[in-house]
Amino acid sequence: MTYFSTLAGTTALATLVAAGSAMADVTPEQVWQSWQELGATYGQTLTAANQSRTGDTLKLQDVRMHFAQDGTVVEGTIPEVNLTQRGDGTVEITMSPEFPVEMTIPNEPDAENPAPEPTELALALRQPGMVMVAGGDDLATTLAFDAPSTTIAVTGVDGVSAREMNLTAEMTMSDVAGTYRTEGTDTRSITNDFTAAVAEMTFAMTDPETKGKVNVRASATDLKGTSSGKMVGTLGMADMAAALQAGAASTGSFTYGPATLEFDFADATDKGKGSASAAGGNLDVSMSGDSLSYGGGTKNVSLTLSGSQIPFPQFNMSYAEAAFQLLTPVTTSEEPQDFRLLTRLVNLKVSDEIWAMFDPEAQLPRDPATLVLDAKGKARLDIDLLDPKQVETLGEKAPGQIEALDLDQLQLSIAGADLTGDGSLTFDNADTTTFGGMPAPTGQIDLKLVGGNALIDKLVGIGLVPQDQAMAARMMLGLFARPGEGEDTLTSTLEFKDKGFYANGQRLQ
C-alpha cells in the first residue's frame, strides 16, 4: 500500500481495518486500535486529538495521519470519524465528507540548483456519503464500503492557491464499492475487490504571464479491481524487500472499459489539440519472494493530433491491440527459475500523410504493421534482487545466468513483408569462449520471410535504400536463407550444435 492511497480515505481505512486481528462482535474501540496498529506496519502514525464514547458510537476528532519516507512527507487530518456499534456485531464507520492533505515532495538536485526547495502540494479529499461496515468472527474479518463518489483535488502548490494560479486538477470516481476480507493472525491472507462506474480526470491551467492555456480531460468506465495477498508477522509492507523475503506475496488485477482522452493547448506562438480512445484495457501485477510479474494491455486504440507544429491537417494513428508482460525471478535458487518477455503491437495504422513524407507515390503497401515477441525460459540468479546491498555490488556484471530460451512467437509485418519465427535454445554457462563471451547455445531457430525481396526493391525505388546496400542485404539473405514454398518466400533454419553455428545445414562457425 502506498502513502497516497492510505490518505485517500476509502481504501485507507478499509484496508487497515480489514487487515486487523480476527475478532467476533467487533467493537468500535477494536476497529480504531486495529487501524492504528496496522498503520504503524506501513510506517504511518495515526492519532486522534480527542475521542469520546456516546452510547454505541465512538467519536474521533481531528484524526491526524502522518507518513514520511525518502524525503517525502504526507500529512492529513480528518475532522471527524464515527464508529458505531450495530446490533448485528458489526461496526459502521462514517467520516467527514472532506478533509485536507499536505504533501512535501523533494526535488532532484542538478548543476544549476544543487539544493532545490521541495514541492508542496495541498490536496482536498472528498467522499460525501461514504459508509463502511466492519465485521468478523474468530476466523476472518470483512469490511464493505460504498460511496456515491470520491474526489482528489489539488487546492494549492507551494503556498499559492489553485484559484490564484487558475489551476484545476482533480480526479473523481463515481459509484464506488468494494469489499475486503482477511484471515489469520501472524500470517494474514487478504483478498479484496473494487468497482467504480466511472473515473474522470480534469486538468486546466492558464499561465498568468503568457496567457497560455492547457486543458486535459480523461474518463474511463467500468473499472474493476481484485487482489489477494499474504502478510507475515508485523513486517507489513513498509519494508517491501524484507516482507517478501519473509514470505509475503501479492497478486492484483485491474480492468477498465471504454476510455477517452481529450486535450488542447494554446499560447502566443503555438496551439494544438488531440484526442484518444480505447475499447478497454487491463493491468496485472504479482510479486513474491521468488518472482515478479508485471503485464497489461489495451485494445482498439485510436489517436488524433493536430496543431501549428504538425505539417499537415491531422495525424491519425490506431492499433487493434497492444500488450506486454515481464516475469522475472528475484532471488537466488538452486534450481533455474522461469522468466518471460512478451511484447505485442497488432495492426498499427498511421495517417497517409506520414507515409507520403517518404513515399509520395504510394509504392509501398500501406498494410497495418504488427510486432510480436513472445519468449520464455529458465534463468538462475547469482544475487538477491530484493537486497539493495547485493545489487550495489553488481556493477556492470549480469545478475545471473540464462539456462534456456524458448522463442514461442516472433512476427514482424510491415510494408507488405512478413517475418515469422520460433525455436528453442539451451545454454552451457561453463563455455563462454566459443561464442565470444556468450554462453554456448544448443538448439534451433526457424525463420520465414515472405515479401522481403519485393520490399527491398520498393525501398530502392523510392530512394530510401541505396543500391549497394540492397545488394549487401540480398547477399546476407542468400547466406542465411533458402527459397521456400510460395512466391518471394525465404526460410532459414539456424542451428547451434557441437560448438558450431549452422544455417540450413551449412556450418558458418
Side-chain angles (χ1 to χ4, degrees), residues 257-466:
T260 61
L261 168 69
E262 296 179 345
F263 69 89
D264 61 82
F265 63 90
D267 58 27
T269 60
D270 194 12
K271 66 177 181 179
K273 64 179 181 179
S275 64
S277 65
N282 70 284
L283 179 66
D284 300 291
V285 180
S286 66
M287 54 185 174
S288 68
D290 297 322
S291 65
L292 169 67
S293 177
Y294 183 67
T298 56
K299 291 187 176 182
N300 297 329
V301 174
S302 64
L303 170 69
T304 64
L305 297 172
S306 62
S308 55
Q309 298 296 321
I310 297 178
F312 37 81
Q314 182 170 282
F315 167 77
N316 299 310
M317 183 188 75
S318 66
Y319 55 85
E321 179 188 1
F324 71 95
Q325 184 179 13
L326 173 65
L327 169 65
T328 178
V330 295
T331 189
T332 58
S333 173
E334 294 183 1
E335 298 297 325
Q337 296 173 287
D338 292 334
F339 71 86
R340 186 189 185 196
L341 174 64
L342 167 68
T343 299
R344 288 175 60 88
L345 182 61
V346 180
N347 289 345
L348 172 67
K349 301 177 183 179
V350 296
S351 305
D352 285 342
E353 289 86 351
I354 298 295
W355 285 98
M357 293 176 68
F358 54 86
D359 181 26
E361 297 182 3
Q363 294 189 45
L364 293 174
R366 298 181 178 181
D367 304 333
T370 291
L371 171 65
V372 180
L373 174 62
D374 189 356
K376 67 177 186 293
K378 297 283 187 178
R380 190 196 315 270
L381 291 181
D382 296 327
I383 66 168
D384 189 341
L385 296 181
L386 297 176
D387 186 340
K389 293 182 178 179
Q390 292 189 40
V391 174
E392 289 177 2
T393 63
L394 187 61
E396 297 182 358
K397 296 186 299 182
Q401 300 175 336
I402 183 172
E403 301 280 342
L405 175 66
D406 294 329
L407 180 61
D408 290 340
Q409 183 182 7
L410 169 66
Q411 181 180 6
L412 175 60
S413 302
I414 187 169
D418 183 49
L419 173 66
T420 57
D422 57 30
S424 61
L425 300 170
T426 59
F427 297 87
D428 180 4
N429 287 279
D431 179 5
T432 58
T433 59
T434 302
F435 289 91
M438 182 183 78
T442 298
Q444 177 176 310
I445 296 177
D446 297 305
L447 301 172
K448 180 179 180 180
L449 176 63
V450 178
N453 282 305
L455 177 58
I456 292 175
D457 290 338
K458 290 181 172 63
L459 291 174
V460 172
I462 64 177
L464 280 182
V465 176

Side-chain angles (χ1 to χ4, degrees), residues 79-99:
E80 184 172 300
V81 177
N82 290 308
L83 301 94
T84 302
Q85 185 80 57
R86 307 204 317 173
D88 57 1
T90 63
V91 172
E92 180 181 277
I93 307 157
T94 60
M95 62 180 64
S96 301
E98 179 175 340
F99 62 93

Side-chain angles (χ1 to χ4, degrees), residues 162-288:
R163 179 173 298 181
E164 292 180 66
M165 300 173 62
N166 293 313
L167 170 67
T168 300
E170 63 182 46
M171 185 180 73
T172 298
M173 291 187 292
S174 303
D175 296 331
V176 181
T179 58
Y180 291 75
R181 178 181 175 87
T182 180
E183 298 180 72
T185 52
D186 289 339
T187 298
R188 297 187 296 272
S189 297
I190 302 171
T191 60
N192 67 74
D193 61 82
F194 160 86
T195 63
V198 181
E200 298 176 300
M201 187 273 289
T202 301
F203 178 87
M205 185 174 181
T206 300
D207 190 308
E209 296 181 359
T210 66
K211 305 302 180 184
K213 296 182 179 181
V214 60
N215 297 283
V216 182
R217 300 164 296 279
S219 68
T221 61
D222 194 21
L223 290 83
K224 297 178 181 178
T226 61
S227 69
S228 62
K230 181 171 67 174
M231 296 180 64
V232 179
T234 60
L235 284 172
M237 289 296 179
D239 186 340
M240 181 70 72
L244 293 175
Q245 290 170 341
S250 178
T251 299
S253 176
F254 173 76
T255 63
Y256 62 91
T260 61
L261 168 69
E262 296 179 345
F263 69 89
D264 61 82
F265 63 90
D267 58 27
T269 60
D270 194 12
K271 66 177 181 179
K273 64 179 181 179
S275 64
S277 65
N282 70 284
L283 179 66
D284 300 291
V285 180
S286 66
M287 54 185 174
S288 68

Side-chain angles (χ1 to χ4, degrees), residues 17-31:
V17 172
S21 58
M23 34 187 158
D25 290 341
V26 185
T27 68
E29 286 77 11
Q30 287 173 315
V31 170

